[in-house]
Amino acid sequence: MALSLTDSNFAEIVEQAKTPVLVDFWATWCGPCRMISPVVDRLAEKYEGKLTVAKCNVDESSDIPMKFGIRNIPTLLFFKGGELVDRLVGAVPQAEIEKKIEAII
């Protein structure tokens, strides 16, 4: 299950994670975000224990998106050891996301 990421819990979820982290930046009004959301949820289940998956609503948390230059959503950021290692922008196919995941786990 994907965790809810906010400005206040970013350090705990991303920087202190024992596994690589995938963060989905989204908003309720974003059509492509709604399309990719079930894919992100499936990946959270598939990689449970190997990957932490979190979702950040850009309307509720603005500091994190600003810090990482999120200008378009959905944007997926990939972290390893608390450091940003990759990103995908847009509603990309599940296979493309899985390639990025496999490269960091």
Side-chain angles (χ1 to χ4, degrees), residues 3-61:
L3 304 172
S4 179
L5 184 69
T6 64
D7 292 336
S8 60
N9 68 7
F10 178 81
E12 176 189 343
I13 291 177
V14 176
E15 294 172 354
Q16 299 168 12
K18 305 233 184 297
T19 62
V21 181
L22 164 61
V23 179
D24 174 17
F25 290 88
W26 67 284
T28 56
W29 47 264
C30 169
C33 297
R34 289 193 302 272
M35 288 171 43
I36 202 171
S37 183
V39 172
V40 172
D41 291 338
R42 281 195 300 272
L43 293 171
E45 287 181 30
K46 180 176 181 175
Y47 290 97
E48 188 173 352
K50 297 179 189 174
L51 178 75
T52 300
V53 177
K55 294 184 177 188
C56 180
N57 183 326
V58 298
D59 290 332
E60 295 174 1
S61 296

